[in-house]
């Protein structure tokens, strides 16, 4: 598999006019080499595939990677890369401009100027991310497992989430369930946001006690075999319809309609901003355009957020094999928010929804 990924990447490196690509982003070097350590660099040219890491990781790297020659390095990039580039006669070296820090780049170029002036540093963006965005069958399988675990976690969460527990308690129960059932850590800290807190799209769980008559927004993700899932639902705690819940349930219906519209009408070949507009126009027509402040969704894989980006300004193209979220939301300060998030893949031109959890009504908590 690793060899396949390298073979797919090498033409892109050549087309970009590079002799070699320096890969520094953890998700990218993990994808290409299978090395799971937290410090490492890949150097990929037509004839070389090198994994450079320090003494903490060289043994692990040799065990985990088959297609890369592992070399042990010392110190920062500028300490070893110019000499290696000179030995291998590389002149045009691409680096990941979204990731390599300004400070690292600065030190490296100072060193190159002094010691090897004919080595040129060339910024690249998303070369490996583009490969990663189209999932192989094995990757889709792992993602599906991570989605299934989240569906089970949601069933469990519904038995925990009731008036009287705090957001933090509920979030911890979710995390415990995920880890006890095979999640490698969590894809991100679970969000449980109640009442007015649900109006914050990325709220942190607090000591706030859940109360009847409120919305509770849950956002959580699992990780299986290195692959993430992402999921949101909004529950309503209570039976008696209060003024607040009338407005919340109207909002819920708008968000659901926006989400279903996107699911039914997104097609392969569309740009990601067209996809975003499908859902956004439903929310705008209902008068809540300003209350949907984030993009419609994002790719999910080794990283919880990765290309494609579904947003009003994204120029990404949606293609078969991509996996991403569809997660419109409406957030009203003081009242609360609603988000409904499923994971989907594009298959034979159409959206296939991976998430199974119900979303057809503003669900009452089962424990009431
Ligand atoms: Zn998400």
């Amino acid at each position: 598999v690793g060899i396949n990924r390298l073979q797919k990447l090498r033409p892109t490196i050549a087309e970009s006019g590079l002799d070699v690509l320096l890969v520094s982003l953890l998700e990218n070097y993990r994808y290409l080499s299978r090395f799971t350590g937290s410090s490492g660099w890949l150097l990929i040219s037509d004839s070389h595939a090198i994994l450079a890491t320090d003494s903490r990781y060289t043994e692990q790297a040799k065990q985990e990677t088959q297609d890369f020659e592992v070399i042990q390095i010392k110190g920062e990039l500028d300490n070893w890369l110019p000499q290696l580039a000179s030995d291998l006669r590389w002149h045009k070296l691409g680096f990941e401009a979204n990731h390599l820090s300004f400070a690292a780049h600065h030190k490296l170029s100072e060193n190159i100027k002094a010691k090897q002036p004919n080595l040129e540093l060339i910024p690249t963006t998303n070369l490996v991310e583009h490969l990663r965005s189209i999932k192989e069958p094995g990757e889709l399988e792992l993602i599906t497992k991570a989605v299934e675990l989240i569906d089970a976690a949601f069933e469990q969460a519904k038995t925990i989430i009731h008036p009287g527990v705090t957001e933090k308690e509920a979030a911890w129960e979710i995390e415990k369930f995920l880890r006890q059932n095979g999640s490698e850590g969590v894809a991100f800290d679970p969000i449980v946001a109640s009442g007015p807190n649900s109006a914050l799209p990325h709220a942190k769980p607090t000591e706030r006690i859940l109360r009847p008559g409120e919305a509770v927004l849950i956002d959580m993700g699992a990780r299986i075999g290195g692959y993430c899932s992402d999921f949101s639902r909004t529950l309503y705690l209570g039976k008696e319809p209060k003024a607040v819940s009338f407005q919340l349930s109207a909002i819920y219906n708008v968000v659901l309609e926006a989400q279903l519209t996107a699911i039914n009408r997104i097609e392969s070949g569309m740009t990601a901003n067209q996809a975003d507009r499908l859902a956004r126009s439903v929310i705008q027509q209902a008068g809540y355009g300003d209350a949907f402040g984030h993009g419609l969704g994002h790719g999910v894989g080794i990283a919880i957020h990765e290309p494609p980006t579904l947003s009003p300004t994204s120029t990404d193209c949606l293609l078969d094999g991509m996996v991403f979220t569809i997660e419109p939301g409406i957030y009203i300060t003081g009242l609360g928010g609603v988000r409904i998030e499923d994971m989907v893949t594009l298959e034979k031109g159409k959206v296939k929804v991976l998430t199974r959890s119900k979303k057809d009504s503003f669900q009452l908590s089962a424990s009431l």
Side-chain angles (χ1 to χ4, degrees):
V1 175
I3 274 288
N4 263 331
R5 293 175 184 174
L6 267 178
Q7 279 169 354
K8 280 187 198 157
L9 181 62
R10 279 185 163 132
T12 315
I13 294 174
E15 283 158 25
S16 309
L18 307 172
D19 295 329
V20 60
L21 177 66
L22 172 71
V23 176
S24 58
L25 183 72
L26 185 146
E27 288 87 355
N28 287 346
Y29 70 66
R30 180 172 178 169
Y31 176 79
L32 292 166
S33 71
R34 315 229 151 214
F35 171 54
T36 62
S38 61
S39 178
W41 310 88
L42 302 182
L43 286 151
I44 299 161
S45 71
D46 236 17
S47 49
H48 284 86
I50 294 171
L51 193 168
T53 187
D54 62 68
S55 60
R56 293 170 300 167
Y57 290 113
T58 38
E59 267 320 301
Q60 181 186 341
K62 282 176 192 164
Q63 283 167 21
E64 288 179 335
T65 190
Q66 265 112 55
D67 311 314
F68 284 76
E69 176 195 348
V70 177
I71 64 167
Q72 186 168 314
I73 50 153
K74 235 183 182 169
E76 291 177 50
L77 216 45
D78 54 291
N79 198 43
W80 55 271
L81 184 54
Q83 187 57 50
L84 182 68
S86 155
D87 292 347
L88 295 174
R89 289 192 212 99
W90 291 329
H91 299 295
K92 289 177 185 297
L93 183 141
F95 66 93
E96 297 184 308
N98 283 332
H99 182 247
L100 192 74
S101 76
F102 181 79
H105 181 272
H106 181 72
K107 273 180 99 175
L108 184 59
S109 33
E110 289 297 299
N111 197 311
I112 286 170
K113 246 187 256 165
K115 291 184 188 155
Q116 212 208 326
N118 53 4
L119 178 61
E120 192 185 343
L121 295 179
I122 299 165
T124 70
T125 50
N126 290 344
L127 297 188
V128 185
E129 284 87 339
H130 276 305
L131 271 189
R132 275 170 50 204
S133 70
I134 310 283
K135 268 63 183 179
E136 297 159 1
E139 296 182 286
L140 189 58
E141 217 169 278
L142 292 168
I143 290 170
T144 304
K145 282 187 183 154
V147 170
E148 284 167 358
L149 178 51
I150 272 306
D151 280 331
F154 182 56
E155 285 310 303
Q156 151 82 359
K158 281 191 283 187
T159 69
I160 290 157
I161 289 177
H162 56 78
V165 303
T166 68
E167 294 172 354
K168 272 189 177 174
E169 284 165 350
W172 170 237
E173 290 299 331
I174 288 170
E175 180 161 349
K176 229 163 46 180
F177 179 89
L178 290 173
R179 297 182 70 142
Q180 281 170 344
N181 288 278
S183 183
E184 296 145 7
V186 284
F188 55 92
D189 292 339
I191 295 170
V192 176
S194 65
N197 291 351
S198 62
L200 309 169
H202 275 173
K204 274 217 181 317
T206 70
E207 302 290 352
R208 192 178 189 280
I209 293 169
L210 309 191
R211 298 176 205 163
E214 292 183 339
V216 180
L217 197 156
I218 301 160
D219 189 342
M220 55 188 180
R223 192 190 298 273
I224 303 274
Y227 285 80
C228 300
S229 58
D230 196 0
F231 169 91
S232 304
R233 286 288 182 273
T234 311
L235 297 170
Y236 174 67
L237 294 186
K239 284 175 188 158
E240 74 283 21
K242 292 182 182 172
V244 152
S245 68
F246 281 129
Q247 198 185 344
L248 282 172
S249 93
I251 288 172
Y252 189 94
N253 291 333
V254 175
V255 173
L256 182 60
E257 194 197 328
Q259 207 233 14
L260 293 174
T261 302
I263 287 171
N264 292 329
R265 295 187 44 203
I266 288 176
E267 287 175 4
S268 303
M270 230 174 221
T271 61
N273 68 69
Q274 288 176 303
D276 179 277
R277 202 176 314 129
L278 291 171
R280 195 167 301 277
S281 63
V282 172
I283 290 174
Q284 281 166 344
Q285 276 159 28
Y288 291 107
D290 293 338
F292 177 22
H294 56 74
L296 179 63
H298 53 87
V300 182
I302 297 176
I304 187 70
H305 293 122
E306 59 181 51
T309 299
L310 285 74
S311 76
T313 54
S314 173
T315 53
D316 292 344
C317 185
L318 299 179
L319 299 169
D320 273 6
M322 286 184 169
V323 171
F324 51 91
T325 66
I326 299 183
E327 51 176 312
I330 294 177
Y331 312 91
I332 313 285
T333 306
L335 174 74
V338 171
R339 176 165 68 249
I340 304 172
E341 173 179 26
D342 285 334
M343 287 211 5
V344 309
T345 185
L346 282 171
E347 200 177 272
K348 295 181 188 136
K350 294 279 184 193
V351 169
K352 179 184 169 193
V353 181
L354 301 174
T355 307
R356 295 271 169 84
S357 293
K358 276 173 62 173
K359 59 189 174 190
D360 47 332
S361 69
F362 198 23
Q363 285 164 304
L364 301 177
S365 172
S367 53
L368 276 167

